[in-house]
Amino acid sequence: MPRFFILLPALALGACAYHTSRSSIVVMTDAKSVVENCTKLGEIDGQDSVQAIMTIDKTRDSVITRMKLRAAEMDGTHVFAAVADIKWKGPDTKGTVYKCNP
């Protein structure tokens, strides 16, 4: 049993998502007016199985990071999602990816 507690931090670190240079420019918004003149690319979900054991603030950060990564993979520039609201308390982790021209 003690070995499990030693491995737990390593397992938790392996589940983290990290921004790339492409994902760091993705804009998260909960204001429809920001993306109204953009091209819709598709729907994404920021859900992950690790969320069940994390606190809500860390969960929000993780959801946003995963959404930004997934949006960057689709060549998106913006994600419209409820999680963009600082008062978000879950459970909605879905969003819509848009590509907006400068």
Side-chain angles (χ1 to χ4, degrees), residues 17 19 31 34 37 40 45-46 48 50 52 72 85 88:
H19 284 290
V34 173
N37 294 321
K40 181 178 175 180
D45 194 344
D48 187 42
V50 177
D85 183 354
W88 178 84

Side-chain angles (χ1 to χ4, degrees), residues 15-100:
C16 295
Y18 295 97
H19 284 290
T20 63
S21 60
R22 285 180 49 200
S23 67
S24 63
I25 62 169
V26 174
V27 176
M28 297 291 299
T29 185
D30 63 339
K32 191 66 171 172
S33 61
V34 173
V35 295
E36 67 185 9
N37 294 321
C38 304
T39 305
K40 181 178 175 180
L41 299 179
E43 304 291 322
I44 58 173
D45 194 344
Q47 181 70 23
D48 187 42
S49 60
V50 177
Q51 285 179 244
I53 61 172
M54 299 176 98
T55 63
I56 195 71
D57 290 334
K58 293 286 185 185
T59 301
R60 180 178 178 271
D61 291 343
S62 297
V63 169
I64 288 173
T65 299
R66 279 190 297 279
M67 290 181 116
K68 285 184 167 195
L69 287 168
R70 291 173 183 156
E73 289 171 357
M74 297 171 70
D75 270 345
T77 58
H78 290 68
V79 176
F80 175 72
V83 73
D85 183 354
I86 193 72
K87 297 177 209 155
W88 178 84
K89 297 292 183 199
D92 184 15
T93 58
K94 293 182 179 7
T96 306
V97 179
Y98 290 88
K99 183 165 187 131
C100 302

